[in-house]
Amino acid sequence: MTMLLTESPWSDSFIFLLIFTIVVGILLYYYFFHENPKTIPEGDGWWGARERQDTQEDETVHSFTIETFEEMIQDLHYRLDHTRFTPPLEDSRFQYGFNSNYLRKVVSYWRKDYNWKKQLEILNQFPHFRTRIEGIDIHFVHVKPRYLPSGQTAIPLMMIHGWPGSFYEFYKIIPQLTDPVSHSLSQQETFEIICPSIPGYGFSEAPHKKGFNSIAAARVFCKLMRRLGFDRFYVQGGDWGSLIATNMAQMKPQNVKGIHLNFFPNSRMGLKILPSLLLGRKFSLDELLTNVMIYWVSGSITSSMRLYKENLGADFQNRVDDKVGVYVPVGMAAFPNELIYIPLAWARQKYKKIMTFSYMSCGGHFAAFEEPDLLAEDLRNFVQTVEKSS
């Protein structure tokens, strides 16, 4: 018996519908059930010299005072006296690096007029501390508010510098945040400030082993905040500090209440080079030299630059933090003379909960140093927005 096979008019449509359903199902599974990890694994580390000997790390927090020896200053003076200057190109101004004609004036002032002892007193005006974390000594400035109304608690805020900056970047903004009444500001946002030195910078011990990147720094700073008794806190940063702050929010979102950035770390960056501000318009020569002196007296310039190697030496776009979004509240301050410009649409790809995004009227890369009033106002507005929404 012969059977006649006839094509169904629905067969092609059915096959198309089936394929379409499978593809949509795979996409839905990918987006809803197979997302990138939500957090960076915290892990652990050991950056001390030699192998770790003790199983229980000493968590004592020690008071610290910045001190120098006369021999160190005499060595500096000798080097300044014997500086060899290369003549600048004609009419080059600062287009080929730091103009050596102007550099002669800076060196002369540094050698004859700069008062390091006076600046040392300024540096030590705030309380300094050191504590050992993952085998290295971590230095930080910790400033508590002078006065709090009854029943009010200070808002813990970690502020993280970058290169070639230091904890000193925040000395102008600290009084505004910890003592708002003296600056005719509302007491509603009164902060307790913690400014650490990134390991290898200033008076934080340099890691003795390879591999210390921004993720390791984030873990160390999260441990520091827990050691100081803070379960929930804010983080602010620029330059490397913004990447470390971002990593802290990716690693410990349950502890980081929000991050405020004035430099936006992103592996897909639009470059916008702008003229740097001339010395004297935004900070004094004394302030600039004091920041340089922190590197000189601590001998940390070489170890500070290793952070570039550890972060940029590998494939930055394949790092785990590039695949993890930021889900805590985020505030961003875009300063017009910043080195890199990130459009808000790009920022939203990584930072999922941007609460404030401000286009600042002036200022550049070292926002806290250049425009402390503007940065403080934007930071206070961000924290106020987060607190009202929580």
Side-chain angles (χ1 to χ4, degrees), residues 168-356:
Y168 179 57
E169 287 179 44
F170 305 108
Y171 268 43
K172 296 178 183 178
I173 199 173
I174 286 175
Q176 296 189 46
L177 298 176
T178 59
D179 188 14
V181 174
S182 298
H183 295 82
S184 302
L185 300 171
S186 170
Q187 287 181 289
Q188 186 175 351
E189 290 82 35
T190 302
F191 295 87
E192 182 171 343
I193 305 296
I194 300 90
C195 295
S197 294
I198 299 172
Y201 289 67
F203 304 104
S204 279
E205 186 178 356
H208 295 265
K209 294 175 171 58
K210 296 184 291 184
F212 190 94
N213 58 16
S214 64
I215 296 175
R219 182 179 63 244
V220 166
F221 288 167
C222 283
K223 289 182 177 181
L224 173 60
M225 293 302 277
R226 289 200 301 268
R227 186 169 297 184
L228 296 177
F230 300 115
D231 294 323
R232 296 278 284 165
F233 53 87
Y234 289 90
V235 189
Q236 198 283 330
D239 196 84
W240 284 126
S242 64
L243 181 57
I244 295 171
T246 297
N247 291 161
M248 292 173 72
Q250 294 169 309
M251 183 180 295
K252 286 291 184 179
Q254 70 274 24
N255 297 124
V256 178
K257 201 167 185 178
I259 61 172
H260 183 277
L261 311 174
N262 57 274
F263 181 80
F264 317 145
N266 195 306
S267 59
R268 297 170 291 278
M269 295 187 289
L271 193 60
K272 177 185 174 187
I273 307 262
L274 294 171
S276 59
L277 295 166
L278 292 178
L279 179 63
R281 291 177 57 189
K282 295 298 180 180
F283 43 83
S284 69
L285 187 51
D286 276 347
E287 291 170 335
L288 174 65
L289 291 175
T290 296
N291 187 71
V292 172
M293 286 292 290
I294 290 172
Y295 283 86
W296 168 258
V297 300
S298 62
S300 61
I301 190 61
T302 298
S303 57
S304 72
M305 290 189 286
R306 290 176 185 153
L307 200 59
Y308 285 89
K309 162 67 175 177
E310 303 296 4
N311 282 298
L312 305 180
D315 187 351
F316 193 67
Q317 294 188 10
N318 286 327
R319 282 189 10 167
V320 62
D321 53 331
D322 192 56
K323 298 176 173 61
V324 176
V326 178
Y327 298 91
V328 305
V330 176
M332 293 184 165
F335 286 86
N337 289 332
E338 182 56 270
L339 297 176
I340 295 174
Y341 170 72
I342 299 293
L344 177 57
W346 288 12
R348 290 192 187 279
Q349 296 178 26
K350 187 176 191 68
Y351 301 95
K352 311 300 184 181
K353 198 175 181 180
I354 297 176
M355 306 285 283
T356 62

